[in-house]
Amino acid sequence: MLDWDHIFATRSSRMKASEIRELLKLLEQPDIISFAGGIPDPALFPAEEFQKAYADIFSGAQVNSALQYSVSEGYKPLRDWIVADVAKIGIDCTADNVFITSGSQQALDYLGKLFLSPNDTALVTWPTYLGALSAFNAYEPTYDQLSVNGNRTPEAYRETASKAGGAVKFAYLSADFSNPTGETIDLQGREKLLALADELDIAILEDAAYQNLRFDGEPVSPILALDIARSGGIEKTRTIYSGSFSKTLAPGLRVGFVIGAMPVIRKLVLLKQAADLHSSTINQIAVEHVASRGFDVQVAKIKRVYSGRRDSMLAALAKYMPKGTTWTKPEGGMFVWLTLPEGMDGAELLAKSLATEKVAFVPGKAFYADGSNANTLRISFSCANDEMIDEGIKRLGRLIGNAETREHEALPII
Ligand SMILES: Cc1ncc(COP(=O)(O)O)c(C=O)c1O
């Protein structure tokens, strides 16, 4: 056997299969109630609409260009559709500011590649999207905790970054219904972030993967829209917005996008030419067909179903969770975030659950850049029906309640 590690680049040492992902593979058993996956319900995919779109493409003159190589920026009619769609939420841009990626995950990889030299600092929320940490890890950054409503000074961020041997380059966050917490950053928090980014002279990476999935409450303007309004135009902004059709149409298409100032888009285009030339031509065309014929109807359908499931989950949590456990109350998205009593470990709880209650969730520490906060977990309501939610949360409540009792029994009596 070759000693591959000796030949691999040093950056590969940060690419590790997460223990949790390995554990979750064990959960694909039929008797498990799973709140673990953060994936859309396939029953809600607009399958017929896509069937019609592909049939139209194959039956017309478009088939040749659909199967051909295409430009790295992305399919122009799709970029035009995105320009018109985001104008509704205050993002005033042109098709030149829009770049199509193979899923928004690819945007995270490219943005990591574009901004991070080894030892540079990426500011991330604590917790943050696990896939963002995986994408950035390859570029050997250090992470520092982005405190959205906190009182850390720009100097404190700068000092930590320089101790780590680099500079702060960007703040990455999901402002709406984040993965994993389901929480939203309010207008004041967004304004503070922009002010902080100005002071630090860094980019903001706004991951808007769940932005379309608001069930209730007042919409808050995207950070990019606020940035455009403040600075006087997209070319003067420091916010780079990534969007996705994965949560609204279907993730298997791998179509996402980035919106930002032209100097950033031009660099991303060069990165794409080197990486995969362009995103799937035919899938971009199909997405444009489906989106322009009924995106809002599709989004309304998904929101109706997911908001009902969110309600069931919150009702079940209120009914079954033992005292000492708290949870978020998301206004959209796919996730609820639980904080267990201090000292309890979500990963240990999952192992116990596999053996006893058979309910699956994701232990929270995977979402922390420093692996802290073991007493947290993420549950998703997107793929479970009301009965599964009630039964699953009942089991989870019992599991936490029993773990709590055992914890107390183990305490020495003094
Ligand atoms: C916050 C967030 N960003 C990005 C992604 C990547 O999505 P995609 O590459 O399918 O657009 C996900 C997927 O779960 C996510 O939760």
Side-chain angles (χ1 to χ4, degrees):
M1 273 279 262
L2 256 182
D3 178 11
W4 289 105
D5 286 340
H6 176 68
I7 312 173
F8 289 154
T10 47
R11 80 180 75 88
S12 76
S13 65
R14 305 251 319 236
M15 301 171 192
K16 292 214 174 80
S18 115
E19 271 169 52
I20 282 154
R21 276 192 205 276
E22 294 305 305
L23 196 53
L24 291 176
K25 279 189 199 155
L26 302 173
L27 300 175
E28 287 163 9
Q29 302 160 12
D31 58 339
I32 298 260
I33 296 181
S34 182
F35 302 131
I39 58 174
D41 184 341
L44 298 170
F45 291 156
E48 275 175 33
E49 287 79 354
F50 273 105
Q51 195 173 21
K52 181 164 180 348
Y54 284 101
D56 286 352
I57 294 166
F58 277 100
S59 64
Q62 213 178 6
V63 67
N64 283 347
S65 55
L67 295 176
Q68 188 54 281
Y69 285 117
S70 55
V71 295
S72 302
E73 288 82 350
Y75 179 56
K76 176 72 168 33
L78 178 59
R79 288 156 57 218
D80 288 338
W81 183 88
I82 291 167
V83 168
D85 191 58
V86 297
K88 297 178 208 154
I89 49 172
I91 297 177
D92 183 11
C93 65
T94 71
D96 289 336
N97 301 110
V98 181
F99 166 69
I100 307 292
T101 54
S102 300
S104 60
Q105 186 66 29
Q106 185 175 56
L108 299 176
D109 176 42
Y110 287 178
L111 291 166
K113 200 182 246 180
L114 185 57
F115 285 102
L116 298 170
S117 299
N119 303 324
D120 275 344
T121 290
L123 304 183
V124 296
T125 46
W126 237 242
T128 199
Y129 169 51
L130 176 57
L133 297 177
S134 308
F136 302 151
N137 276 346
Y139 306 105
E140 305 174 86
T142 50
Y143 295 105
D144 195 5
Q145 181 171 359
L146 176 65
S147 156
V148 176
N149 275 308
N151 47 11
R152 285 190 70 190
T153 61
E155 289 68 41
Y157 287 112
R158 260 195 223 107
E159 216 173 284
T160 313
S162 103
K163 273 193 201 136
V168 188
K169 289 302 184 65
F170 60 70
Y172 163 82
L173 74 151
S174 274
D176 295 286
F177 331 118
S178 89
N179 178 0
T181 69
E183 287 177 319
T184 295
I185 297 172
D186 63 14
L187 183 62
Q188 203 191 12
R190 294 176 197 217
E191 299 279 9
K192 273 193 185 169
L193 259 168
L194 278 165
L196 175 70
D198 277 348
E199 289 208 45
L200 287 173
D201 194 17
I202 57 170
I204 295 177
L205 311 190
E206 178 177 21
D207 184 335
Y210 299 92
Q211 212 240 339
N212 293 101
L213 301 184
R214 174 174 283 282
F215 313 148
D216 36 50
E218 276 306 303
V220 190
S221 286
I223 299 171
L224 178 56
L226 299 172
D227 198 351
I228 291 171
R230 277 164 40 126
S231 63
I234 189 149
E235 293 311 326
K236 295 186 186 150
T237 58
R238 57 174 72 253
T239 306
I240 304 163
Y241 178 99
S242 66
S244 177
F245 290 99
S246 292
K247 317 295 175 183
T248 47
L249 299 183
L253 300 157
R254 311 307 303 130
V255 180
F257 57 93
V258 173
I259 306 176
M262 295 258 304
V264 175
I265 300 296
R266 278 197 290 266
K267 283 284 189 197
L268 291 173
V269 168
L270 295 176
L271 286 173
K272 195 157 182 69
Q273 280 165 1
D276 66 348
L277 301 179
H278 61 80
S279 299
S280 158
T281 318
I282 192 163
N283 288 355
Q284 292 184 67
I285 297 176
V287 165
E288 193 275 328
H289 276 231
V290 172
S292 58
R293 285 175 193 164
F295 188 73
D296 292 345
V297 174
Q298 165 69 10
V299 170
K301 179 173 99 178
I302 295 175
K303 291 202 298 191
R304 223 174 14 252
V305 176
Y306 289 167
S307 70
R309 292 176 182 171
R310 185 270 322 256
D311 292 346
S312 303
M313 189 162 263
L314 293 180
L317 285 163
K319 197 154 106 190
Y320 299 120
M321 278 301 129
K323 262 212 183 105
T325 297
T326 58
W327 55 92
T328 55
K329 312 219 166 34
E331 293 184 327
M334 295 185 176
F335 307 107
V336 175
W337 180 248
L338 259 70
T339 304
L340 308 169
E342 200 63 51
M344 212 177 269
D345 185 318
E348 282 173 22
L349 204 67
L350 180 60
K352 272 184 210 155
S353 180
L354 264 179
T356 57
E357 298 288 358
K358 302 212 180 275
V359 57
F361 48 84
V362 184
K365 67 180 172 193
F367 300 98
Y368 289 90
D370 63 353
S372 62
N373 292 275
N375 65 322
T376 52
L377 48 100
R378 188 193 78 180
I379 48 180
S380 167
F381 48 81
S382 58
C383 285
N385 62 33
D386 290 349
E387 294 77 58
M388 280 163 68
I389 289 173
D390 191 76
E391 177 60 28
I393 297 297
K394 189 197 238 168
R395 293 186 199 180
L396 184 59
R398 201 157 54 203
L399 190 72
I400 296 170
N402 287 342
E404 227 178 342
T405 320
R406 272 204 289 279
E407 219 92 42
H408 291 152
E409 279 167 0
L411 285 177
I413 301 160
I414 44 170

